[in-house]
Structure formats: C-alpha cells, structure tokens
Amino acid sequence: MVRGLSLVVPAFNEEARLPATLRVASRALQAIAARAEILVVDDGSVDATSAVARAVVSPVPIRVLRQNRNLGKGSAVARGVQAAQYELIAFTDADSPYDLGALEPMARAVETGLAEIAIGARDLPGSEINRGYGRLRRVSGQALSTLTFRLLGLPIRDSQCGLKLFRAEVARELFAMRRVQGFGFDFEILILALVRGYSIKRFPVRLTHDDDSRLQVLRDSARMFFDLLAVRRRLRRGGLSREARPGLGQQLDCPLCAGAGFVERAERRGWRMVECEDCGLWRLRPMPSDIELLALYGDDYFQSPLAQDVGYDGYGSDGELRCETFRRRLLALGRAGTGERMVDVGGGYGFMADAARGHFAERWVVEPSASAAARIAPDHHLAATSWQDARLPASTFDLVSMQDALEHLPEPRRALEQAFESLRPGGRLLLVTPDRASVLARLQGEDWVSLKFPEHVVLFDGAGLAALLRDLGFEVCSVRAARQVVSIGFLAERAGRARPFFERVLPAWLRAMALEVPSGSIEIVAQRPHPT
C-alpha cells in the first residue's frame, strides 16, 4: 500500500452515473492506499450531480467541490489538484471506464521514485479493451496522436487516456501552468512535464468503453485541434520553459474574495495572470514576494532600457506632459480638486504634487523608489516608503491620488481601505488604473501594454473596481475612461508592442507633438461619506 492518495473525479451533469463510480472508486482505493480521499469537482452541472455525490455512503471520504459555471474538464481537474491533500494525486473520468486496480502499480512506481508521473496507455500490449470504439472515434484518436507528435514533438501516443497519477507537488506545478480548459488539457500537461524534465512511465489499463461518453467526437476534436495549436504557440514562444517563479505550485487564493478557482488569462516572462472565477479580479499567480517587488523599483526603473517589460523610458523627459495630465484631472474634480492636504501614492518624481501647487496647501508624496524620491521637490512632504508601510495621519486628507499605482499593489483591498482611512469625511479618492475591459486591451490582446509582469500584479475593470469601492464604504461619484496628454512618439511606442512598424516610420518632429487621448485606463472618483 502507498501512504496517501487523492483521486480527482471531474463531473458535469453526471447524476446518473456518478454514484456507481464513487462506490467502485472507494473499494479500489481501500486496497491501494493507507489514507485516501475522493474529490468530486462538479463543473457547473445543472442536474443533481453535487447532491448525489454528497449522498454516497463511502468508507473513503468524499469531498465535493462545485464550480460556478461549466469551464471544462481541464479546469475541473485543476481545481481538484489544488484541493488534494495527499502525497499522490490521480484523476479518472466520472463514468469509470477504467479498472481502478491499475492505480496500484502506478502509485507504487511514483511513490518509490521510478517515475514522477504515471499514465494509463490503451495502446500497450497488456491493455484490455472490452468493447471497441466506433470507427470515427478511433480515427480521430489516431489523428490526434499524429498531430501531437508532429506539432509538439510529444512522443506519447495515447495522451488522452483518462487515468493519470502524479507526485502531488509535480501535479500542482503543472496544473498551475495549465491554460487549456477542456479535453485537450492532457497533452498540454504532458508536454509541460517533458519540457520541465519530469519522468513519465506508461502502464496498461483495462477499459470498458461507455457508449454514453460525454465526448462529442466532431465538436470536441475540433476544439482539441485549436487547443493543440495554442499549446504549440506557447511552446514556440518559450511559455512552457523550465523557468518558474517561486511558489508556482502553491495554492494562492484571490486577494479580494479568497476564491481558489481561476482561469488563466495571460503569461509573460515566466509569470502568469489569472482571473478569479468568483470576483473577476485578474491577478498574478503566484504573487511576487516583497523582495522581488522592491527590486523592481531600483535606480533604472524610471529610465528603463526595457520599458515595454518593466518601468518607464524617459519618465523625467515627459514631465511636463505628465503635469498637464494631472492639472486637467484636478480641474475636472471641480471644488474637490482643491483643499488643505492631498497625498499622491506612488508619486514617482512628484509631478502630481507639482501640478497640485495652488490647489492644495500641503502636498504629500508616497514613493518607494529612493532614486525617484531624491528628485521630489523639497516643498512637498515625502514618505519614502511603500503605501502599505506609510504611516500617515488618519482622517486628514482632502484628496488621495492613486494614479497608476493600484495595479502595483498585491493587496488591493487593504490599499483602498488605507486610502479610505486617510481621507477626512467628504474627502475624495482619485483612482486611475489600467482597464482590462478597455478598447486598447481588447485590440492588443496578449500584447496589451499593461501586461507588464511582475510589475503589474492586479488588473480591474470599471464595474468590478466600482463594486469593490462601494463594498469598502466609498460613495462612487464617477467612472469614466481616463485620458492622458502624451506625445505621438509615446503612442507609437505603445503601438509598437504589437506592431513595431509604427515606431520605425515616424520622423522626430512628429514624435514630439502632443495630444490628449484615451489612455486605456479607468478613472474613478469616489468619496468617503460624511457620518450620518
């Protein structure tokens, strides 16, 4: 017997077949592992799948996890892998097409170190197929095997066999990097494993084909083909490389709602951004450490030679344009744009505070970069630290400015709570942050200029951010697309991320011209209400 085994069973509308599967699995696990559990992941079923799973009486504990909507088999298995608690993690299908006795040699091989991953293989001589597949399904399976070899170089003929077992830490690492949501996740996981150097051992299985399979051959084969192309694209761009961020395999919950479920949205430089299935926040998973974040804001952050990846190119040389942007935003606030005290969070060289001269008697700047803080004018109050470590007087400020700052903060809820506490009753929050629902974001897709990792750790849309502010007690005054005064050269640099042609063809005189344009960010004004 192995020490501990978690079995993940993804299920979608499986109320009829699932109880029998769970009883069979329970008997099999008792003979294989000293400690075991079954995790049923209900992938947004509209029938009684969750209820019948909870009703099964079993000597092996059964846990039921439910996804809010149908996301696909790959997402369901990943959710179970996140929640599993034992040293070995396996998964099988809800219709129990395999004799689970095959898990015993697979588990022994992984526990003893003969392999890190064990997979069932229907094409091995020792495998038994008690009922044959239809011709169409058999041909489609052969075609997929050929394509995965030709396009990915995957030397495993039966990548789609639904019986696989992993060392737990390996499973968490691989499924944390998964992007395919549906049936094609198997070949993505296997190519990830091979690229990352993990050993895979194949085992024969005994299979009884169920004619009521949820796989729709033509529809799902087409989807798997497109998944295959997406995985190939990631492979060619280096997105499946050995480079991994610390803690990549850990379960990291959403910093807003503590939800564990996620859908991957983007990957860059070894970092992955995911969308919380519960609240919709986009966040890095895992979050960078405090040390990694502090290292970003060094002497070259505001004069970065790699500004499309991190920092700014010529931040100081654009100072007058930045000041003009801030002046216009202050004027748009009307009477709320004047007062006794204001603070600008992540203030850089202090351009917002410069623009606020004549609007506010006291101007505070919070800036963690020592080189930037050294350039802030002496008539401003300086807190040369991060926002979370700033110790500012409570209920004091007429305006808290968080412009191009929130996306850098790994605990956005706490950051906004701190802003609320800093404002006097009736004081305003001026918040500008990249809008993941903006036209620019949709046009640029995976080349969106705000996908700068790990510099940007959270990304919002207007509706989600406004809802968060209301939840924290703010009154939301306005939500609109932010505008920015920029040079044409700046616009060419942004467009160049997706189309380098634009940067090359503009003459110097045209690059220097300035105009006000939508920035691709949200601008929200919110107020701390007066006590009633």
Side-chain angles (χ1 to χ4, degrees):
M1 275 193 175
V2 297
R3 291 187 297 272
L5 174 59
S6 298
L7 180 66
V8 177
V9 182
F12 176 63
N13 293 341
E14 291 285 2
E15 63 178 5
R17 301 190 296 184
L18 189 58
T21 293
L22 296 180
R23 287 189 285 269
V24 168
S26 178
R27 289 195 296 271
L29 291 178
Q30 283 185 290
I32 295 171
R35 297 171 300 155
E37 64 175 347
I38 300 172
L39 297 100
V40 175
V41 185
D42 182 346
D43 190 27
S45 299
V46 295
D47 66 1
T49 292
S50 290
V52 300
R54 292 189 180 98
V56 172
V57 177
S58 165
V60 172
I62 296 174
R63 287 196 282 155
V64 180
L65 309 173
R66 178 169 171 80
Q67 309 216 102
N68 292 334
R69 62 186 189 276
N70 179 229
L71 295 171
K73 183 180 177 182
S75 175
V77 175
R79 178 78 179 275
V81 167
Q82 290 175 38
Q85 62 178 328
Y86 291 128
E87 298 92 337
L88 304 177
I89 301 174
F91 68 83
T92 192
D93 297 331
D95 58 346
S96 190
Y98 303 99
D99 177 357
L100 295 181
L103 286 175
E104 195 273 332
M106 295 167 70
R108 270 193 291 106
V110 173
E111 186 176 70
T112 58
L114 293 177
E116 287 153 313
I117 301 168
I119 64 174
R122 292 164 292 189
D123 60 310
L124 288 177
S127 291
E128 298 178 28
I129 300 177
N130 296 336
R131 281 193 289 168
Y133 289 118
R135 178 179 174 83
L136 181 59
R137 188 168 177 185
R138 193 165 58 247
V139 170
S140 69
Q142 293 168 350
L144 181 65
S145 295
T146 301
L147 286 171
T148 54
F149 176 74
R150 295 290 186 188
L151 297 181
L152 302 180
L154 184 64
I156 297 171
R157 290 188 60 186
D158 187 13
S159 64
Q160 300 307 113
C161 179
L163 190 64
K164 294 182 174 68
L165 186 146
F166 304 77
R167 191 156 47 85
E169 58 269 31
V170 173
R172 293 193 182 97
E173 178 181 332
L174 297 178
F175 278 89
M177 298 185 71
R178 169 203 55 86
R179 297 185 71 171
V180 174
Q181 297 282 77
F183 289 106
F185 80 97
D186 291 88
F187 54 72
E188 181 183 34
I189 291 296
L190 292 177
I191 196 67
L192 275 167
L194 291 174
V195 169
R196 302 176 75 76
Y198 291 123
S199 58
I200 301 173
K201 186 172 176 60
R202 304 203 306 152
F203 289 82
V205 293
R206 188 166 68 86
L207 178 145
T208 300
H209 173 58
D210 188 338
D211 291 323
D212 188 33
S213 171
R214 297 300 183 204
L215 182 68
Q216 301 296 316
V217 176
L218 293 177
R219 182 197 66 189
D220 291 315
S221 293
R223 289 177 178 174
M224 282 191 280
F225 176 71
F226 287 111
D227 288 339
L228 184 61
L229 294 180
V231 172
R232 181 173 183 259
R233 189 160 55 247
R234 282 185 77 199
L235 185 64
R236 296 181 69 178
R237 293 174 61 174
L240 307 180
S241 68
R242 183 75 193 179
E243 180 185 8
R245 308 266 56 105
L248 185 59
Q250 299 173 4
Q251 178 179 346
L252 299 178
D253 295 340
C254 174
L256 286 188
C257 70
F262 65 89
V263 177
E264 177 157 342
R265 292 304 182 196
E267 183 176 43
R268 183 89 73 248
R269 302 172 64 225
W271 295 92
R272 301 170 63 247
M273 180 156 276
V274 302
E275 179 182 357
C276 176
E277 291 178 352
D278 296 321
C279 72
L281 177 72
W282 286 24
R283 71 187 193 277
L284 288 187
R285 187 180 188 277
M287 284 289 184
S289 67
D290 291 342
I291 293 174
E292 286 175 301
L293 287 175
L294 286 173
L296 290 175
Y297 306 108
D299 292 344
D300 60 351
Y301 177 78
F302 291 95
Q303 300 289 334
S304 173
L306 301 171
Q308 290 186 346
D309 292 323
V310 64
Y312 295 86
D313 177 17
Y315 182 84
S317 62
D318 292 334
E320 185 51 46
L321 296 178
R322 297 181 189 278
C323 283
E324 182 59 27
T325 296
F326 296 141
R327 289 188 197 103
R328 296 185 187 193
R329 289 175 181 170
L330 284 170
L331 289 173
L333 291 174
R335 293 179 62 185
T338 61
E340 182 66 23
R341 296 182 184 88
M342 62 82 65
V343 59
D344 187 33
V345 179
Y349 290 177
F351 294 137
M352 174 62 181
D354 293 343
R357 289 190 182 103
H359 293 260
F360 293 90
E362 287 185 18
R363 300 162 306 279
W364 294 61
V365 180
V366 177
E367 174 52 54
S369 168
S371 61
R375 300 188 54 163
I376 293 172
D379 60 327
H380 307 317
H381 296 268
L382 172 63
T385 185
S386 62
W387 177 236
Q388 58 265 35
D389 292 331
R391 298 293 181 263
L392 303 184
S395 303
T396 297
F397 293 94
D398 301 287
L399 178 69
V400 173
S401 162
M402 299 183 75
Q403 301 182 65
D404 302 314
L406 188 64
E407 62 271 20
H408 298 258
L409 304 177
E411 297 185 65
R413 177 181 288 274
R414 179 66 195 122
L416 293 173
E417 288 173 343
Q418 191 170 338
F420 186 93
E421 294 161 1
S422 300
L423 287 168
R424 63 165 179 78
R428 300 291 178 96
L429 169 68
L430 172 59
L431 182 58
V432 178
T433 191
D435 181 4
R436 63 175 179 79
S438 67
V439 173
L440 181 65
R442 291 197 296 269
L443 287 175
Q444 290 188 322
E446 289 195 1
D447 292 313
W448 182 30
V449 68
S450 291
L451 298 177
K452 297 176 72 171
F453 308 151
E455 180 181 346
H456 291 175
V457 296
V458 293
L459 293 169
F460 291 86
D461 62 12
L465 187 50
L468 173 61
L469 290 169
R470 293 188 184 99
D471 184 55
L472 295 175
F474 283 97
E475 294 176 352
V476 176
C477 305
S478 64
V479 180
R480 66 174 187 172
R483 298 182 68 82
Q484 183 177 359
V485 180
V486 298
S487 67
I488 292 178
F490 174 85
L491 294 177
E493 181 269 324
R494 285 205 161 188
R497 180 165 191 156
R499 299 289 185 270
F501 168 79
F502 291 112
E503 284 191 280
R504 294 195 299 265
V505 299
L506 287 182
W509 64 269
L510 186 57
R511 294 176 66 89
M513 291 182 63
L515 65 164
E516 185 181 48
V517 297
S519 66
S521 293
I522 323 157
E523 180 180 320
I524 297 183
V525 178
Q527 175 177 279
R528 177 176 178 174
H530 292 280
T532 56

